[in-house]
Structures are given as C-alpha cells and as structure tokens.
Amino acid sequence: QYVKICSLYGAGFYYMPGTDTCLKVGGWVRAEYSYGNNGSFAWGWANADVNNRTTNNSVMRARGYITADAREQTEYGTLRSYIAVGISTSDVGADTASNTFSANRAFIQFAGFTAGIAQSFYDFYSVPASSFWGAFPASDTGDPGWQVFAYTAQFGNGLSASISAEERRDTQIVSAMTAFGTGGVTTTSSYGGFQAPDVVGNLRLDQAWGSAQVMAAAHNVNPTYYTAAPTANGPSDKWGYAVGAGLKLNAPMFGPGDYFQTQVNYTNGASRYVFMTPNSNWFKATGATFGFGVLSDSVYNAGVAGSSQDLTTGWGVNAAYDHFWNHQWKTSLYGGY
C-alpha cells in the first residue's frame, strides 16, 4: 500500500517515496552450454579450429544484468537516466571476480539529448535479434554499448533526425614497409591519440508497417609516426566515412511478430562500420601457403618519408527474416556478405 504506481511510462514503474521520480527495476540472467563451438560463442565455426587435443569443444558461460530506469517530468520534457550493470563470463571459464563485471548502458536523456553509453545512432540492423553468432559482420553496437553525445529532433508522424558525436570506431592502420631490407614484410601501425569523435547522423521513419533509416558517419584516421623514416613525422590525417541504409518490414500476416530486416553499408577509411566486432586478421593456411585478409582503415608506406595514407574501402549487407510460430518460439533465417 505504501508504493504508488506510476502509469506515465508504461508497466513496471512506481514513484520513489517522497519524490516525483518514477523508477523501474528489471533484469535478466542467461546461462549457456555448447559443444563444437571451438571455444567461442561469439565466433563459433570461424574461431581458429586446429582440431586437435587443444581444441575447446565444450564451452560454458553466463551473463546477468540488473537494470534501473528513472524518469521524471520537467518543464523541458522527460528527464531520464538508465543503467544496466551485471556480470559477463568468458567462454572457457577463466573468470575471477575482477574480470566478470560488465556494464553496457549508462546514459541520460533530456530535451532531445542522449549522452553516455547507449547505442550508436548509425545502427539499424540488430544482429543478436536474428543471429546466434555475435561476430557476424555488421555495424551493430547494441551488445557492448557505445559512447555517444547526441541530439534527436522529432518532426511528427514517426519521422526523426539525429546528430551524434561518438567514440571513434577504429580497426588498424597498416604501415607497409618497402621490400628493401625487410623482405616485404607488412607491419602494423597504431592509431594516434583520440583527437576527434566520429560524427554520425541519421534520418529515421517509424510507422506501423516498420521502419527505415539512412545514415552517415565521418571518421578521423590519424596514424602515428613513420616507423622506418629518418624523421619523426607521420602521414597527414585523413577523414574517412561510412554511409548506410536500413529497412525493417513487419509481416504479421505470416505470424504474430514476424519481420524482415536489412542494412547495407559502404565505408572508406572506416571499416568498423562494416564489421563492428573484429578481433583478428583473417587467414587461411594450405600446406606452406598462407592467405591473409587484413582488416584496416588505411595503408601507408612507412619506409618512405612523406608517403600519404591510402584509405581502405569496404562494403557489407545483412538481411534476416524472423518467423514467430507463437509467443514462445521463433525461427530466424539470416545471412550477409
């Protein structure tokens, strides 16, 4: 009887006693076991399977979050703060209390602004909604969260536009050495210091039939010094970019909650907008022959002072259809290139 229900923001909110603040507390826990996943839930079949006695055929992990959503009305609209904190264990159980803490949301929303750890305003296609393996190449930052400082304008009838300054999305910068004295070996150069955030913008439409979005991002590519030059100068910065479009179509005529979603991206000097979760350079070994697929934002010749960056281009498309047999069971068909 002491708790007063707050109906302004939907089910689950109640007034914090003695205040005008409405609070909703929630959470979830997930436990998983898999056999034959090569020691990685994220990468699965693509995780460097050597198929010998060192292979981790069994994999276990658990994750749990507690969420808190606090809102109150002000003269400028709703003031909201949201946080999600918990634990997330590793794939093969090498966990201690110090490395299991996880938090993927901590943001404030007020008068159209969103600031903190949320989700990139470039994102549209949701990977984990349809795909079991989180490493499937896409631009989705939903699982880890992303640092943003954004403003969203609502134009009515489901049309909105956002502009956001965000944590930079970088992969690596490759400094290709000349063949003289190095054997043609390719070395990797790191990014310089964080000088400028990525600038992200989108135009979005949400209707009863589904949603559509077009988006773009600008990304500063700033290498460190030449690694084999007589001076300590480095290549000049360049600005890369990403452009994309997404579409979601609801299909209730085929099942309760059915939908189709897709997104296409093109990048120049901003490869992580095509592949958000890179953790390696791909390679294939056949006998004594190796083929490498280096994921980079740019390449420059570290052996020649004054050489400039050559930005890397890439593109990708994702698509999925989710069919709900009922409210408890669904089947997802997904793919990408």
Side-chain angles (χ1 to χ4, degrees):
Q1 295 177 348
Y2 185 66
V3 175
K4 182 180 179 182
I5 301 301
C6 174
S7 59
L8 291 173
Y9 312 110
F13 285 90
Y14 63 89
Y15 284 99
M16 296 177 65
T19 73
D20 293 326
T21 301
C22 298
L23 180 66
K24 180 178 182 178
V25 177
W28 53 270
V29 173
R30 182 183 70 210
E32 297 174 275
Y33 170 80
S34 176
Y35 184 85
N37 237 6
N38 301 333
S40 174
F41 275 102
W43 289 84
W45 56 270
N47 187 54
D49 181 20
V50 293
N51 194 27
N52 60 24
R53 294 186 63 85
T54 67
T55 299
N56 292 300
N57 284 313
S58 286
V59 187
M60 302 178 73
R61 70 177 179 182
R63 177 183 285 193
Y65 280 94
I66 294 175
T67 62
D69 190 342
R71 310 186 197 187
E72 69 175 72
Q73 292 300 309
T74 74
E75 58 183 319
Y76 300 103
T78 303
L79 171 61
R80 180 192 187 196
S81 61
Y82 184 90
I83 189 169
V85 295
I87 63 170
S88 183
T89 63
S90 69
D91 292 332
V92 291
D95 297 303
T96 65
S98 63
N99 69 1
T100 59
F101 175 80
S102 179
N104 68 355
R105 294 292 187 275
F107 63 82
I108 298 170
Q109 289 180 316
F110 180 59
F113 288 95
T114 301
I117 302 174
Q119 184 171 4
S120 171
F121 283 79
Y122 186 92
D123 294 350
F124 184 86
Y125 180 91
S126 176
V127 171
S130 302
S131 309
F132 182 77
W133 281 296
F136 203 81
S139 69
D140 187 12
T141 63
D143 182 42
W146 208 245
Q147 294 275 4
V148 304
F149 196 109
Y151 177 76
T152 299
Q154 301 286 348
F155 303 116
N157 296 319
L159 182 64
S160 66
S162 299
I163 183 73
S164 179
E166 302 188 355
E167 178 185 353
R168 69 180 180 183
R169 293 203 208 186
D170 56 315
T171 58
Q172 61 185 347
I173 297 172
V174 175
S175 52
M177 304 291 290
T178 55
F180 300 103
T182 65
V185 176
T186 298
T187 60
T188 300
S189 174
S190 63
Y191 264 79
F194 183 20
Q195 305 300 331
D198 287 7
V199 180
V200 172
N202 73 41
L203 183 65
R204 184 182 176 104
L205 180 65
D206 294 286
Q207 300 276 304
W209 52 262
S211 304
Q213 178 176 294
V214 291
M215 52 280 202
H219 169 72
N220 181 237
V221 186
N222 60 314
T224 53
Y225 303 116
Y226 293 114
T227 57
T231 65
N233 296 320
S236 298
D237 292 5
K238 283 190 175 182
W239 279 87
Y241 65 87
V243 292
L247 178 68
K248 181 178 180 181
L249 297 174
N250 296 324
M253 69 289 293
F254 299 118
D258 279 27
Y259 66 89
F260 168 81
Q261 62 164 338
T262 185
Q263 181 175 330
V264 60
N265 301 301
Y266 177 84
T267 67
N268 181 254
S271 298
R272 204 167 178 184
Y273 285 89
V274 173
F275 198 168
M276 174 57 204
T277 56
N279 69 355
S280 64
N281 292 316
W282 298 89
F283 75 92
K284 178 177 177 59
T286 303
T289 302
F290 284 78
F292 286 90
V294 179
L295 186 64
S296 66
D297 290 333
S298 80
V299 176
Y300 69 94
N301 193 335
V304 178
S307 65
S308 61
Q309 297 189 79
D310 184 11
L311 298 184
T312 305
T313 60
W315 65 273
V317 60
N318 299 91
Y321 184 85
D322 283 65
H323 173 62
F324 288 77
W325 302 98
N326 53 44
H327 292 297
Q328 287 78 37
W329 295 93
K330 74 167 184 173
T331 297
S332 299
L333 177 66
Y334 65 92
Y337 186 87

